[in-house]
């Protein structure tokens, strides 16, 4: 098939291009820069430059490619990570999740594209009531912290627009691996090493993880499998912060994380940070595994943290 990947030089897109080329597909991938487009060419695709926040640029790129499948992997996360300024940090990505998604869907429909896959996210957007693990049938949080309201609205828009257009919204879990915030050289891993990522309260917030390579392989599977709808792309083991954070610290040679009460943490990470660490709900991958005929290589973050972060500790060197 002819496959168009918007954001093909990013974390997932750059891994997706060689997977699809190896499967025999004709892949066109976009980047904001000529350098990124050349990397796509080197991976076996056709690299084009495109502004993911400009509707005319999106339309022109899609209509020139006339793809059978459009894959939306556009993000802009270079500003780092800040619990208190979450919406501000994600402003550009949220624009791509709203106006960018609408432009891609419109262009795909105009081009006669048969299938649309769009990146979304699962984890803290889940409603923080009921059981610890949510499926795609469960609602999003009806009362998010003020710091993430615009981001949650953008995620909801992405999913609604995609499903209404007959597409698949792939809800990636918390990504980790080389080149990620939770990977060697990443901001989150650096914070863990400095013991600046504490267990808040009892650490009862449930997180679902996904190795970046598994996110790419699930997306490749969704090119030809699965009915329109929502899909949680996560590993098999949702887990509370109190369980996974010490394992992560050990994996990177750091001391055990500190414990701080919620009222202290609120001054450090705000209401949203405390909520994510104490009341978040995890996500089930049962639907994705069955419908997409996919299984994660790293079925658990336990193995992933030990071998999939791209970290070389002093003990292993």
């Amino acid at each position: 098939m002819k496959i168009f990947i918007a954001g093909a030089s990013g974390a997932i897109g750059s891994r997706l291009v060689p997977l699809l080329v190896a499967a025999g597909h004709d892949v066109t991938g976009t980047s904001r820069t000529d350098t990124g487009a050349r990397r796509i060419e080197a991976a076996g695709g056709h690299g084009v430059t495109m502004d993911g926040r400009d509707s005319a640029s999106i339309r022109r790129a899609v209509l020139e490619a006339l793809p059978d499948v459009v894959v939306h992997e556009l993000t802009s996360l270079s500003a780092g990570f800040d619990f208190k300024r979450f919406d501000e940090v994600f402003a550009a990505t949220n624009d791509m999740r709203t106006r960018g998604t609408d432009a891609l869907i419109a262009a795909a429909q105009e081009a006669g594209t048969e299938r649309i896959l769009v990146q979304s996210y699962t984890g803290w957007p889940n409603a923080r009531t009921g059981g610890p693990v949510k499926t795609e049938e469960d609602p999003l949080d009806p009362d998010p912290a003020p710091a993430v309201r615009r981001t949650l609205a953008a995620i909801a828009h992405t999913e609604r627009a995609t499903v209404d257009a007959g597409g698949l919204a792939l809800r990636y879990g918390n990504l980790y691996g080389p080149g990620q915030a939770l990977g060697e050289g990443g901001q989150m891993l650096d914070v863990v090493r400095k013991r600046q990522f504490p267990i808040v309260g009892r650490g009862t917030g449930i997180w679902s993880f996904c190795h970046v390579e598994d996110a790419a392989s699930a997306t490749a599977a969704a090119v030809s499998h699965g009915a329109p709808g929502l899909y949680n792309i996560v590993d098999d083991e949702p887990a509370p912060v109190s369980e996974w954070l010490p394992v992560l610290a050990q994996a990177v040679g750091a001391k055990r994380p500190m414990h701080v009460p919620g009222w202290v943490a609120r001054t450090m990470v705000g209401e949203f940070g405390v909520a994510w660490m104490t009341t978040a709900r995890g996500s089930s991958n049962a639907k994705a595994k069955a419908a997409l005929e996919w299984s994660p290589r790293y079925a658990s973050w336990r193995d992933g943290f030990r071998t999939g972060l791209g970290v070389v500790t002093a003990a292993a060197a």
Side-chain angles (χ1 to χ4, degrees):
M1 291 183 288
K2 295 172 65 177
I3 301 176
F4 180 93
I5 305 174
S9 60
I12 295 172
S14 62
R15 291 166 168 86
L16 184 58
V17 171
L19 287 178
L20 296 177
V21 169
H25 299 296
D26 181 359
V27 179
T28 296
T30 79
S31 175
R32 285 172 289 184
T33 67
D34 291 338
T35 299
R38 287 193 292 270
R39 288 199 299 269
I40 295 164
E41 295 278 351
H46 309 292
V48 300
T49 56
M50 185 189 82
D51 183 349
R53 301 180 71 181
D54 182 275
S55 297
S57 180
I58 291 171
R59 179 177 181 271
R60 181 168 57 251
V62 173
L63 293 183
E64 286 178 357
L66 293 176
D68 302 304
V69 181
V70 164
V71 183
H72 178 356
E73 296 290 348
L74 293 167
T75 58
S76 180
L77 302 175
S78 59
F81 190 86
D82 189 322
F83 286 104
K84 289 185 174 181
R85 299 171 47 252
F86 204 89
D87 280 343
E88 183 179 339
V89 170
F90 275 78
T93 293
N94 291 339
D95 190 38
M96 294 176 185
R97 284 171 169 163
T98 52
R99 294 194 305 117
T101 297
D102 292 345
L104 273 168
I105 289 174
Q109 292 173 335
E110 185 177 353
T113 298
E114 300 170 359
R115 195 167 179 84
I116 302 171
L117 312 178
V118 177
Q119 176 187 139
S120 187
Y121 170 77
T122 190
W124 63 259
N126 288 331
R128 292 174 290 124
T129 57
V133 179
K134 303 299 184 181
T135 73
E136 294 85 350
E137 299 299 318
D138 289 303
L140 299 179
D141 190 351
D143 187 28
V148 297
R149 285 176 183 166
R150 292 197 299 273
T151 300
L152 183 55
I155 290 170
H157 176 95
T158 293
E159 296 183 350
R160 183 171 57 251
T162 300
V163 174
D164 287 349
L168 289 74
L170 305 179
R171 293 172 159 180
Y172 304 123
N174 295 297
L175 295 178
Y176 68 95
Q180 304 306 296
L182 185 49
E184 186 57 38
Q187 179 188 15
M188 186 172 172
L189 216 59
D190 185 52
V191 171
V192 171
R193 284 192 170 115
K194 294 177 179 177
R195 298 191 79 200
Q196 295 173 350
F197 196 123
I199 295 174
V200 178
R202 295 171 60 191
T204 48
I206 309 295
W207 290 40
S208 285
F209 291 95
C210 183
H211 193 278
V212 66
E213 299 284 355
D214 287 327
S217 68
T219 307
V223 164
S224 56
H225 294 79
L230 306 171
Y231 293 87
N232 294 333
I233 309 301
V234 296
D235 72 15
D236 296 349
E237 191 178 357
V241 176
S242 61
E243 190 171 336
W244 65 257
L245 186 52
V247 174
L248 175 61
Q250 183 180 31
V252 300
K255 295 180 180 179
R256 286 186 64 82
M258 295 184 291
H259 289 251
V260 300
W263 66 269
V264 172
R266 189 166 284 107
T267 65
M268 302 161 54
V269 297
E271 178 186 347
F272 168 63
V274 172
W276 199 359
M277 301 288 267
T278 60
T279 62
R281 296 317 198 247
S283 302
S284 166
N285 65 8
K287 179 181 177 181
K289 291 175 73 173
L292 304 183
E293 299 182 16
W294 164 82
S295 291
R297 173 188 173 191
Y298 293 100
S300 170
W301 47 268
R302 297 178 189 277
D303 294 331
F305 289 173
R306 283 195 295 268
T307 63
L309 292 173
V311 172
V312 178
T313 63

